[in-house]
Amino acid sequence: MDSQALATLSEQVLLKLISSPQDTQRLFHGRGRCFPGLEHITVDWLEGQVLVSLFKEPTSDSLDKLNNELINWTNKKEWSASKVQSLLLQHRSRERSPTECLWGNYQEHQVVNEEGLLFQLDLGENQNSGLFLDMRYGRRWVRENSQDKRVLNLFAYTCGFSIAAIAGGADFVVNLDMAKAVLSRGRENHRLNKHDLNNVKFFAHDIFKSWGKIKKYGEYDLIIIDPPTFQRGSFALTKDYQKILRRLPELLTENGQVLACVNDPTIPAQFLIDGMREEAPSLEYQYRLDNPPEFLDIDIESGLKALIFQKKKS
């Protein structure tokens, strides 16, 4: 990171702070490769906490220069005007992705607001805090398209889509994820939003061993698939996604919809379109959701791909 790159980082972040951000949002997205020399840095606003994430280990000299630049932010008028509480630096390339507090009062557990919905974040404990900010429009779409629907949320993580679905008037949601801990956080997220948990199920199971349980609660009006690229021992996106797609027709209602997602920068949207055509030809591609503007990417195929499919009328 040279001095010009660091100056650009500061300019971009402080410019965003001038507007006194309220909800949780990304302030700087270097991973979109629109800012030379800053491809490995992101900066997020977490309602008072500013989280800088490093996705590549810099040299010790570069890290010192970065730390000095970050600390210099705290002396700026934009910083004090936005009422920042803490400045955090997460080392994503290091083991367990440790987070250190460079300035202020560090809150490891924090409730944040996204478009009126509440989510608990766990900072410093895991690589990911509990809410993927680039999926904001996806959660909004689910909220706007869940009225009176039965929803299946695969790879549910902390149940962000489930929160959105119930907020949007869904009748019933099934959440499935291998990790019991993240589903427990999802249950707490529902409670934060005062949702009736009688309408929500949580299953900590391997999806490929759970089709019987999934079908027990189907058919579904909406199925959401947002998998990791790789999950050791259980899922590899390029070879296992097709196994899920071919199951969709039997799980969907007559006019059912699917929100299918890929967030691997090396895999284009066409992977999903072609896969659905081959494995579930009764589902027709409708459109791709936009990504939030703060996630600007030099190549649209490198960012999040969130695609809507509709079951064809027989």
Side-chain angles (χ1 to χ4, degrees), residues 168-218:
D171 285 341
F172 185 74
V173 181
V174 171
N175 293 290
L176 190 140
D177 196 288
M178 279 194 68
K180 188 175 182 179
V182 294
L183 288 179
S184 294
R185 174 58 68 210
R187 187 179 286 105
E188 291 303 314
N189 281 337
H190 273 290
R191 288 178 176 143
L192 276 174
N193 290 278
K194 304 187 185 320
H195 290 165
D196 183 358
L197 289 180
N198 290 323
N199 300 325
V200 187
K201 298 292 183 184
F202 306 88
F203 297 126
H205 300 311
D206 182 333
I207 184 173
F208 298 113
K209 299 177 181 178
S210 304
W211 293 118
K213 185 177 287 289
I214 292 170
K215 289 179 68 174
K216 176 183 175 181
Y217 292 96

Side-chain angles (χ1 to χ4, degrees), residues 29-33 39 55 92 134 227-230 237-238 261-271 288 291 295-305:
H29 187 60
R31 285 167 65 79
R33 296 174 295 163
E39 295 85 355
F55 288 78
R92 302 262 307 195
D134 58 347
T229 298
F230 180 78
L237 191 146
T238 52
C261 309
V262 170
N263 202 5
D264 185 315
T266 67
I267 298 177
Q270 197 64 40
F271 167 82
R288 177 177 174 175
N291 290 335
F295 286 86
L296 184 65
D297 202 298
I298 197 170
D299 178 5
I300 189 173
E301 292 301 314
S302 295
L304 170 67
K305 281 74 66 172

Side-chain angles (χ1 to χ4, degrees), residues 216-279:
K216 176 183 175 181
Y217 292 96
E219 298 172 330
Y220 301 92
D221 303 292
L222 172 60
I223 298 177
I224 302 158
I225 317 168
D226 184 21
T229 298
F230 180 78
Q231 200 168 51
R232 186 180 298 276
S234 66
F235 187 83
L237 191 146
T238 52
K239 74 180 183 70
D240 290 327
Y241 214 131
Q242 292 86 345
K243 299 175 186 177
I244 298 174
L245 298 182
R246 70 179 62 130
R247 291 276 190 167
L248 294 177
E250 65 185 283
L251 296 172
L252 282 165
T253 57
E254 183 179 356
N255 296 311
Q257 291 179 295
V258 174
L259 169 57
C261 309
V262 170
N263 202 5
D264 185 315
T266 67
I267 298 177
Q270 197 64 40
F271 167 82
L272 279 176
I273 297 172
D274 292 343
M276 194 71 80
R277 184 184 302 117
E278 294 171 9
E279 304 294 344

Side-chain angles (χ1 to χ4, degrees), residues 150-161:
R150 296 176 63 83
V151 179
L152 173 61
N153 185 21
L154 301 175
F155 304 97
Y157 189 47
T158 56
C159 304
F161 285 120

Side-chain angles (χ1 to χ4, degrees), residues 39-190:
E39 295 85 355
H40 57 294
I41 296 180
T42 64
V43 184
D44 293 327
W45 171 264
L46 306 177
E47 293 192 30
Q49 299 202 94
V50 172
L51 174 65
V52 180
S53 296
L54 275 177
F55 288 78
K56 177 183 176 182
E57 185 68 22
T59 64
S60 58
D61 181 58
S62 292
L63 184 57
D64 287 342
K65 290 179 179 179
L66 174 64
N67 282 335
N68 289 335
E69 189 74 20
L70 298 181
I71 291 297
N72 192 43
W73 293 355
T74 68
N75 299 316
K76 302 295 185 179
K77 61 182 180 180
E78 296 93 339
W79 188 265
S80 57
S82 61
K83 299 180 181 178
V84 182
Q85 300 168 14
S86 65
L87 174 60
L88 313 177
L89 179 61
Q90 183 186 35
H91 299 271
R92 302 262 307 195
S93 62
R94 297 181 184 177
E95 186 176 359
R96 300 187 66 82
S97 301
T99 299
E100 59 179 312
C101 183
L102 302 181
W103 178 90
N105 299 312
Y106 179 16
Q107 298 180 58
E108 291 188 19
H109 307 289
Q110 182 181 8
V111 175
V112 296
N113 184 306
E114 182 190 76
E115 299 186 346
L117 300 179
L118 302 178
F119 299 91
Q120 171 79 55
L121 302 187
D122 297 312
L123 305 173
E125 294 185 359
N126 306 295
Q127 186 179 78
N128 300 308
S129 65
L131 187 70
F132 293 111
L133 303 187
D134 58 347
M135 192 56 85
R136 184 173 83 249
Y137 284 2
R139 287 184 287 270
R140 180 190 294 176
W141 184 90
V142 168
R143 187 174 185 175
E144 294 173 348
N145 290 274
S146 292
Q147 182 71 45
D148 302 324
K149 291 184 178 180
R150 296 176 63 83
V151 179
L152 173 61
N153 185 21
L154 301 175
F155 304 97
Y157 189 47
T158 56
C159 304
F161 285 120
S162 182
I163 305 297
I166 293 296
D171 285 341
F172 185 74
V173 181
V174 171
N175 293 290
L176 190 140
D177 196 288
M178 279 194 68
K180 188 175 182 179
V182 294
L183 288 179
S184 294
R185 174 58 68 210
R187 187 179 286 105
E188 291 303 314
N189 281 337
H190 273 290

